[in-house]
């Protein structure tokens, strides 16, 4: 009778979750849509979309997402599948794994950084006999 369909990422394009200045969240956030954070997050963030950390925003924890624009503060480990863009007022401390990195002059970047272009993982055979391939 009542059927709840989960929306695909393409259905959520153009829709953005927003946490405003003065808001502090302690815990993890998981979303399929884009996200703008102008408040503080103490915890982990996971998204299939883009995260924007505004100039007053701060994240202390781990982030996994498709794209990220950071203008505020971040401390922890961030994994961005495509493009990580750091604005001039960004302050980054920790570990960065991204496909592409754009840094504006003035950004504070105190992190280890590994750039990994998107690589499809296919099964090949490893020591345990199971198949695992990489392209």
């Amino acid at each position: 009778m009542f059927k709840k369909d989960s929306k695909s990422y393409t259905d959520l394009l153009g829709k953005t979750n927003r946490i405003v200045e003065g808001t502090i969240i302690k815990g993890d956030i998981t979303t399929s849509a884009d996200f703008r954070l102008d408040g503080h997050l103490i915890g982990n963030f996971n998204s299939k979309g883009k995260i924007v950390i505004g100039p007053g925003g701060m994240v202390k924890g781990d982030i996994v997402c498709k794209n990220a624009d950071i203008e505020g503060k971040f401390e922890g480990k961030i994994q961005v599948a495509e493009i990580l863009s750091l604005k001039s007022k960004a302050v980054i401390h920790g570990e960065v794994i991204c496909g592409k990195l754009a840094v504006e002059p003035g950004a504070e970047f105190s992190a280890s950084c590994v750039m990994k272009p998107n690589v499809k993982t296919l099964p090949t055979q490893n020591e345990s006999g199971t198949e695992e391939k990489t392209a």
Side-chain angles (χ1 to χ4, degrees), residues 3-119:
K3 188 175 181 183
K4 186 176 180 183
D5 292 328
S6 63
K7 294 190 176 196
S8 70
Y9 176 68
T10 53
D11 293 338
L12 298 172
L13 287 175
K15 296 182 181 178
T16 302
N17 293 300
R18 185 171 183 151
I19 302 298
V20 297
E21 269 185 78
T23 303
I24 299 172
I25 296 177
K26 293 180 181 179
D28 297 342
I29 296 175
T30 303
T31 181
S32 294
D34 295 341
F35 203 91
R36 179 169 178 98
L37 179 71
D38 288 304
H40 292 210
L41 170 63
I42 300 167
N44 301 322
F45 177 85
N46 193 329
S47 175
K48 294 178 183 172
K50 177 179 186 175
I51 183 170
V52 176
I53 301 174
M58 189 274 296
V59 174
K60 196 171 198 174
D62 296 344
I63 294 176
V64 177
C65 61
K66 186 175 181 182
N67 290 294
D69 284 352
I70 301 178
E71 195 171 355
K73 296 179 181 176
F74 171 77
E75 185 178 330
K77 180 178 179 180
I78 183 167
Q79 297 179 55
V80 182
E82 293 180 3
I83 300 170
L84 170 59
S85 178
L86 304 179
K87 306 301 181 187
S88 62
K89 295 185 180 186
V91 178
I92 308 297
H93 294 281
E95 185 179 344
V96 173
I97 300 169
C98 61
K100 293 180 182 175
L101 177 64
V103 182
E104 287 184 2
E108 184 182 318
F109 188 78
S110 300
S112 64
C113 182
V114 177
M115 293 178 67
K116 294 183 176 181
N118 288 338
V119 177

Side-chain angles (χ1 to χ4, degrees), residues 124-132:
T124 61
Q125 193 161 24
N126 61 20
E127 293 173 23
S128 63
T130 58
E131 289 195 19
E132 183 181 298

